[in-house]
Amino acid sequence: MTDFARTRALFDIPEGMIYLDGNSLGPLPVAAKERVAAMLADEWGKHLIKGWNAAGWMNQSRRIGDRVGKLIGAPEGTTIMGDTLSIKVYQALAAALDLNPGRQVVLSDSGNFPSDLYMAQGLIGSLGRGLELKVVEPEAVADAIDETVAVLMLTEVDYRTGRLHDMKALTAKAHAAGALTVWDLAHSAGALPVDLIGAGADFAVGCTYKYLNGGPGAPAFIYVAPKHLETARPALSGWLGHEAPFAFDLDYRAGAGIDRMRVGTPPVIALTVLDAALDAWEGVSMADVRATSIALCDLFIAEVEKRCPDLVLATTRDGERRGSQVSFRHPQGYAIMQALIARNVIGDFRAPDAIRFGFTPLYIGEKDVLGAAAILETIMKDRLWDRPEYHRKAAVT
Ligand SMILES: Cc1ncc(COP(=O)(O)O)c(C=O)c1O
């Protein structure tokens, strides 16, 4: 059994704060502070440019990609770090479309994160070959897979409701219809067991600032299935994805395997933080994380429904069919969340009306769930949300 008291001590969470927003930005891993300080002083400070070789900076994207790969069922050499998730979505979709020419539809759903849809729209516009982005309701995805679909592009866990797609079944259906798949694991990696090889996914992407605790703006990852590694064409053909970056050839030749999905200079400091953050997963069983996350979400749903009858559950009650988050709807959701934050219970708000809470067993337990539910009850019963300052919209919600 995973020792969650041990993992909790690995994170720097301010005293008295109930942090239910690790699905948006994970907390600071204690080890990251020291690791980055050492990297700055001993590597950058002492080696300067020699650090690319001497401190292994150039290999970091691959090495850490393999560490992330272990958490998502990806074998070594299939996952690499770099850039932001939106960029990785673009790369994966471009490569998948290239591998499946002659078809015109990118199929996605209305539960996808808008940036994924925007990147698809931008890519389709640039390709200029009449591709269509078809967006259906999440429940209609399976039936919309047919032989017109080139690529099925989905986020496994809906960022608003937490609804979990069946990656294996949808991938199998897509393959049977001759389509390829791109899975966004932003709300899956570190939240629940993911088995990319078992699911047969063609491409997957994700961020590391949520459940993987890599810090604000932490680098993203991209996975390419072994069968596509040597044939996927990198649309963003930057020099570090070149077969021989330091030959400085004038013509691009894709690098071997997953290295071709590199673009430019890696964010070494950010990768150092992530490397330290990933240490927290040593000795952690993802099955334990999943079981505990389901229990914490179930408890929160039960407590809030008992105490706050005006809040409407927006997440399925079936633990197996959701990610690691719970949302409730209320017309005053924004103000309610501000009132919670003012009382040190941190979640977030997603327009138009959802208050959202992430449950992260590495550092959240039953006591936090009960504490948050009790504070939410007081806010609802005494209408504490109805103050002018809680209605004022901030730039980030
Ligand atoms: C599912 C999903 N996809 C894409 C993104 C965009 O990621 P980024 O801002 O790192 O490009 C997010 C951001 O939260 C997300 O949740």
Side-chain angles (χ1 to χ4, degrees), residues 84-87 89 113 115-116 155 159 184 186-187 207 209-210:
T84 66
L85 175 50
S86 302
I87 300 289
V89 168
F113 193 77
S115 195
D116 295 33
T155 294
Y159 72 105
D184 183 335
H187 302 268
C207 64
Y209 43 74
K210 300 180 191 294

